[in-house]
Amino acid sequence: MLEGAKSIGAGAATIALAGAAVGIGNVLSSLIHSVARSPSLAKQSFGYAILGFALTEAIALFSPMMAFLISFVFRPHKKS
């Protein structure tokens, strides 16, 4: 029973990757819109976009880490 719960938990943890993909798409979409509105601020906007991309990608890296922790680290307690 515990193995099934671990599999469900690991699968649920990887769902966050879809949210991170949407977040990265939003960051880059906003960059395109802001450069189209005012090309003179393209360098500054690009810096902010890279920061947003990095923070969103960091969140995306936590979800596989949690999936691996759930799958391989948490062990059932042995009854003695």
Side-chain angles (χ1 to χ4, degrees), residues 16-17 20-21 24 50-66:
L17 291 174
I24 290 170
I50 292 297
L51 178 64
F53 173 80
L55 293 174
T56 307
E57 190 66 28
I59 297 295
L61 292 176
F62 285 128
S63 66
M65 180 188 69
M66 289 307 297

Side-chain angles (χ1 to χ4, degrees), residues 38-77:
S38 82
S40 62
L41 294 176
K43 276 189 170 183
Q44 185 179 5
S45 297
F46 184 73
Y48 289 139
I50 292 297
L51 178 64
F53 173 80
L55 293 174
T56 307
E57 190 66 28
I59 297 295
L61 292 176
F62 285 128
S63 66
M65 180 188 69
M66 289 307 297
F68 286 131
L69 280 173
I70 290 169
S71 297
F72 299 115
V73 174
F74 297 128
R75 302 274 182 208
H77 295 290

Side-chain angles (χ1 to χ4, degrees), residues 5 15 19 29 39 53:
I15 291 174
S29 170
F53 173 80

Side-chain angles (χ1 to χ4, degrees), residues 2-26:
L2 183 63
E3 290 298 318
K6 281 173 46 176
S7 296
I8 291 171
T14 57
I15 291 174
L17 291 174
V22 170
I24 290 170
N26 283 339

